[in-house]
Amino acid sequence: MSRRCDILIVGAGMAGASLAAEIAGAASVIVIEAEESPGYHATGRSAAFWSETYGGPLVQPLTTASGSFLRAGGFLGDRGGLHIAGAEGADTLGSMARSFDGAVALEPLGRRDMAARIPRLKAGWDRALLEPTCADIDVAALHAHYLKSAGAAGVQFVTAARLEAAVREDGGWTLETSAGAFAADILVDAAGAWADDVARLAGLPPLGIQPYRRTMVQLRVDPPAPAELPLVIDALGRFYFKPEAGGRIWLSPHDEIPCPPCDAAAEEIDVATAIARLQTVVDWRIERVEHKWAGLRSFAPDRVPVYGFAPGRGDFFWFAGQGGFGIQTAPAAAKLGASLLLNRSPDPMIEDIDPHPYRPDRLVG
C-alpha cells in the first residue's frame, strides 16, 4: 500500500529540506532521498562561503535577501572576500564592479592593501576588489535547521528511497521507489544533479540541467594561513582559497568538469592543478595534502536557477539548477519556491524579487 501526501519532494539536500520547511503546515509533505542520509552530495561538500557576487547579477538578489535570515540565525561568520587580479584581469574586475552597479559593496584595493591581507603575496598581483560582506556559512547547521523545522511541522523524510518510476494517473502521481510506493498530487523535483533524470522518469522533457565536478583540497601550509585571511578569489576564475582551523586552507582550482550524476571524487590532476595555481599567488610551502574531495554543481543552460511549475502543468514543480550557490540563497529561494508552489503572496523577504527570470518555460521551446 502506498503512502500518500499532497506534495512529494525528491531530494533532501538543502533545496528539498528548505522548501519542505517553508511549505510545511500548508500541505502534507513527504521528502524522499536516494541516499542513506540527507545532504550527502552537493550540500555536504560545499566550500561554505556566502558571497553576494557569487553566481552573478541574477543570483545576487536571492543571496542578498537571504543575508538577514542567515545572520540572525547565527549561520554566518565574518570573513570578507578579495577578488584579485594582475594586469590581465583588470578589465574583469571593472566589469564585475559595473555588473553589480552598487547592489553589492565592492571596494577597489591596490597592491599595498592586498599584501596586508595576504601574507607573502607574489609579484604581479596588484589590484583587487574587496567584498566586505562575504562571510563563512555553517552549511551543516543551516541544513539541520531546515530538516528539524520541517520535521517538527509534520514533514516526513524517507531515506534510501531512490525514485524508480513516476506515473500520472487518476489525477495524481503514483511513485515507485526503492523504499516502497508513494502517491502525491504534486511532484517537486529538487534532485540536484539528478533533476533531469527525475523529469524523464515522470515523462517530462528535461531542461538541460548539467552537473559539473568541482574539486576542493585541504592543505597544511607554511607559514600557517592566518585566521583573518579573507576568501581569496581569482578574478579570472582559476582558483579560490580560504583559511581553515589550525592554519590550514581550503583550495579549489575552480574547475567545472561536465560529468553524469554520480558520487563525485577528486582526481589527482585537478588537485595538482589547484596547488600549481596557488603557488603563482603566494610564497607558501605546501606541507601536506590532508584531504581532497569533489562535489557536483548543477546548472541550467543559462546558469540561472529554475523555480516553478513545468510549462502547462500544475503537478510537476522544478526547484533545481542552483549551481554552487544553492546554500547561500536557500532562505530566499525556499520562500520564493513556496510562494510559487502554493500560489500565495510572497514573504516580505522576497517581495521585491521578480520570479520571472527563474521560470522553467524560458528553457523550453
Side-chain angles (χ1 to χ4, degrees), residues 51-65 95-104 106 302-305 325 328-329 352-354 357-358:
S51 166
E52 292 178 278
T53 60
Y54 194 49
L58 284 176
V59 174
Q60 173 267 318
L62 296 167
T63 305
T64 300
S95 296
M96 178 181 175
R98 289 189 296 272
S99 69
F100 291 101
D101 193 27
V104 180
L106 295 169
D302 59 4
R303 302 181 76 84
V304 176
F325 35 78
Q328 65 178 34
T329 61
D352 294 328
I353 297 178
D354 181 4
Y358 314 110

Side-chain angles (χ1 to χ4, degrees), residues 323-350:
F325 35 78
I327 307 296
Q328 65 178 34
T329 61
K335 289 184 182 297
L336 178 60
S339 70
L340 297 172
L341 178 57
L342 301 176
N343 192 28
R344 67 187 184 191
S345 298
D347 183 272
M349 178 190 291
I350 55 141

